[in-house]
Amino acid sequence: IENVSLQYRSGNTATSGQVLYWQKMRAEEMQIDTIALRNCDITNIPRTIFRTAPMTKDENGNPIEITAPSKLKYLEMTGCKVHDMNITNGNNWALFVLGSMPVEVNFHDNMFYDLPYTKGIIQMAYVPTDGTAPRIMFYNNTVMMAKATYTIDGAEKNNQCTLFAMGDYLDASTEYYIYNNLFLTP
């Protein structure tokens, strides 16, 4: 996806919404080679830019154990502006929610701003641990946090925006290259 403006059709205050969303496929069938966003203006989205969510229940509603993760060979974001997303406190999502094990992630020369309730840039979810050790590169980016705290049900919460929320999904030998970025917070 190159040189386009991406927006969610129902606006940034909708209660749900992803631009690219693969779901309800068995994990072993959800094999993606490349997702690349280049020189895009991404705005007006209530939840995520990209999300994969493999099927977790069968047609009868019974849980399916995911034993083999879906794969995403290459995820790239280059020269993009991401702004005016996650503006309501009920939409605390990461910009990319990966239910697919990445092999390589490359984010560079991007600007992230006006994302007051964003949970993070990338979050892993829905996949079993399998010892995957990807290479993750994040360089020459500007990340501006718009809000340090927010309120849910009358209780003030800290904005826990993390760069990468990988949990225990990735192997300890995962390579992270994070350099030459500018991070601004209140």
Side-chain angles (χ1 to χ4, degrees):
I1 300 171
E2 296 186 50
N3 304 314
V4 297
S5 176
L6 295 173
Q7 297 185 17
Y8 185 67
R9 66 179 182 264
S10 297
N12 59 12
T13 58
T15 57
S16 183
Q18 285 78 217
V19 175
L20 303 168
Y21 188 18
W22 279 266
Q23 70 166 347
K24 298 185 180 176
M25 293 173 61
R26 292 190 176 274
E28 59 272 10
E29 297 168 356
M30 192 181 290
Q31 306 299 317
I32 301 170
D33 185 80
T34 300
I35 294 290
L37 298 155
R38 297 179 183 129
N39 303 315
C40 295
D41 184 31
I42 303 168
T43 185
N44 211 31
I45 301 169
R47 281 194 180 174
T48 67
I49 297 168
F50 172 75
R51 179 180 171 200
T52 52
M55 186 184 307
T56 58
K57 295 182 181 177
D58 67 16
E59 56 279 350
N60 298 320
N62 300 316
I64 294 174
E65 181 180 354
I66 300 174
T67 56
S70 58
K71 295 284 186 187
L72 171 60
K73 288 185 182 175
Y74 184 70
L75 174 62
E76 175 189 327
M77 177 179 267
T78 303
C80 295
K81 288 192 308 183
V82 179
H83 57 100
D84 197 31
M85 292 180 56
N86 305 95
I87 66 164
T88 61
N89 67 12
N91 286 328
N92 306 89
W93 286 70
L95 301 178
F96 291 80
V97 178
L98 302 182
S100 304
M101 283 296 189
V103 175
E104 184 172 334
V105 176
N106 187 347
F107 280 38
H108 63 91
D109 300 304
N110 301 297
M111 182 178 286
F112 301 92
Y113 63 97
D114 289 341
L115 311 167
Y117 299 102
T118 297
K119 193 175 186 178
I121 304 294
I122 298 175
Q123 176 184 4
M124 295 292 301
Y126 310 113
V127 291
T129 57
D130 78 339
T132 298
R135 179 167 52 182
I136 298 173
M137 296 175 286
F138 192 87
Y139 59 95
N140 297 344
N141 298 291
T142 300
V143 180
M144 292 182 272
M145 293 304 304
K147 195 170 184 110
T149 60
Y150 57 92
T151 303
I152 293 181
D153 297 327
E156 190 170 275
K157 308 275 186 183
N158 289 324
N159 188 355
Q160 299 176 4
C161 181
T162 57
L163 191 56
F164 304 121
M166 300 305 192
D168 60 358
Y169 293 108
L170 303 183
D171 190 87
S173 60
T174 297
E175 298 176 31
Y176 291 93
Y177 300 92
I178 302 171
Y179 60 91
N180 203 32
N181 298 290
L182 176 63
F183 298 101
L184 301 170
T185 61

